[in-house]
Amino acid sequence: MVDAMPLPLDSDLLRTFLAVVDTSSVTRAADIVGRTQSAVSMQIRKLEDVLGDALFERHSRGVVLTPQGLRLVDNARRIVTLLDDTAAALRQPALDGAVRIGLPEEYINSTLPKALGSFAAIHPGVEVTVQQGASMTNVAALEAGEIDLAVVFEPGGKTRNEVLMMDPTVWVTSEQHRTDERRPVPIATYTYLEGGWCDDLAQRNLRKCRIDNRVAYVSRTSGGLMAAVVSGLAIAPLARSSIPSGCRELTADDGYTVIDHSNVVLRISKAGNGKDRIVEAMADAIRRAFAGD
């Protein structure tokens, strides 16, 4: 016996569904989508038939999402946003050329693949070159004209650059090894000899918390610091978004505080070299990735 083919989800049905979600009213949703109230009700019933379950509960004051409706909301928004972004991009002439990007290790396997993947799909004629490196390295490359744009960390506070998100720097320990309970506590640092804003802030933070410590591990990359934490060799200052599995943030209950409320910023080269449209298109893809679109 051959299973029946699943009915496809219609984007118009999803748009109507989201209009009802956002207004909590079939009547107000009808005004938004430009249909009659009965037509909106019919579309919702059709969507419910496709999914095989009710999406709303009807009440005297409006409608409320069912558990199945709640499951659909985020996916529906992503689908509609992707369709809109794709349509907008394809209405523009296809870009051809090259763009060079500097990226921090923290996001190379998480946020930014979404940006690079969507950009490559829309602009296959653009040659993308990625330089993974520390913020100081990428800023220097940007100023030297070696890359066109970079995502970098900055100390928290006011900045003239475009902030993509705030990602606090925190102390992280292994849940299995409980490294933080040793005294002096072993810490991992980026550059013991050269220093840097993260190292300086981390050391000041430990002094403020009155935690006796020793440098037990030195690495030039956050990947090295993560390895030190996972293995139980040391605790380390890491971006909260990049805490490895099996590890946890050390909080006030442990005697620690946030090291810094770091800004993740987007910096673009002032020297366009005729690539302004390509660079801006990549910048838009990065912005959408960090916004979760």
Side-chain angles (χ1 to χ4, degrees):
M1 179 177 175
V2 180
D3 293 336
M5 289 290 290
L7 293 174
L9 284 175
D10 188 311
S11 62
D12 284 342
L13 300 183
L14 294 179
R15 292 180 192 278
T16 300
F17 166 74
L18 291 174
V20 177
V21 171
D22 293 338
T23 60
S24 299
S25 166
V26 172
T27 302
R28 289 195 293 272
D31 294 334
I32 292 175
V33 300
R35 297 177 182 270
T36 65
Q37 183 176 338
S38 61
V40 168
S41 297
M42 187 177 299
Q43 283 194 307
I44 295 300
R45 283 196 297 272
K46 184 175 180 180
L47 184 57
E48 290 175 333
D49 289 341
V50 170
L51 297 175
D53 207 345
L55 300 174
F56 295 100
E57 294 178 355
R58 277 72 176 176
H59 296 279
S60 58
R61 294 184 178 180
V63 293
V64 178
L65 284 168
T66 64
Q68 184 77 332
L70 288 169
R71 290 179 59 196
L72 179 61
V73 171
D74 288 342
N75 284 324
R77 290 197 194 281
R78 280 195 291 269
I79 291 169
V80 169
T81 299
L82 179 60
L83 288 172
D84 289 344
D85 288 346
T86 302
L90 292 178
R91 290 190 190 104
Q92 302 172 4
L95 299 176
D96 189 21
V99 63
R100 303 162 299 172
I101 318 164
L103 303 178
E105 187 176 10
E106 285 82 353
Y107 303 114
I108 204 76
N109 292 316
S110 56
T111 304
L112 292 168
K114 294 183 290 185
L116 300 178
S118 63
F119 183 88
I122 296 171
H123 303 294
V126 176
E127 182 180 280
V128 179
T129 302
V130 178
Q131 170 180 299
Q132 176 185 309
S135 293
M136 289 186 292
T137 301
N138 284 333
V139 168
L142 192 73
E143 292 175 348
E146 297 169 359
I147 57 177
D148 302 303
L149 68 167
V151 175
V152 301
F153 284 99
E154 286 186 353
K158 293 183 178 180
T159 177
R160 294 181 179 179
N161 298 309
E162 178 183 351
V163 178
L164 296 169
M165 68 178 292
M166 288 187 64
D167 199 359
T169 305
V170 299
W171 287 106
V172 179
T173 189
S174 166
E175 293 180 319
Q176 176 185 354
H177 298 94
R178 302 166 72 174
T179 316
D180 56 292
E181 296 181 3
R182 303 175 196 165
R183 288 296 181 270
V185 63
I187 69 168
T189 182
Y190 280 106
T191 48
Y192 181 61
L193 295 177
E194 297 177 13
W197 71 265
C198 183
D199 289 341
D200 293 341
L201 287 170
Q203 288 288 352
R204 287 204 299 268
N205 178 266
L206 290 175
R207 288 195 295 270
K208 181 180 178 181
C209 295
R210 298 183 179 181
I211 295 174
D212 189 21
N213 67 90
R214 67 179 183 87
V215 175
Y217 191 98
V218 178
S219 174
R220 293 183 181 274
T221 69
S222 61
L225 267 61
M226 291 179 194
V229 174
V230 171
S231 65
L233 287 175
I235 67 170
L238 295 172
R240 181 178 283 165
S241 67
S242 63
I243 295 177
S245 176
C247 301
R248 69 176 181 87
E249 175 183 344
L250 291 166
T251 66
D253 291 339
D254 305 295
Y256 292 77
T257 59
V258 172
I259 298 170
D260 183 66
H261 291 85
S262 309
N263 291 326
V264 182
V265 305
L266 177 63
R267 296 187 58 170
I268 300 175
S269 173
K270 295 180 180 178
N273 297 324
K275 299 192 293 186
D276 290 349
R277 290 179 56 230
I278 298 174
V279 171
E280 188 55 38
M282 176 58 77
D284 282 341
I286 291 172
R287 291 181 187 111
R288 289 195 298 271
F290 273 93
D293 294 342

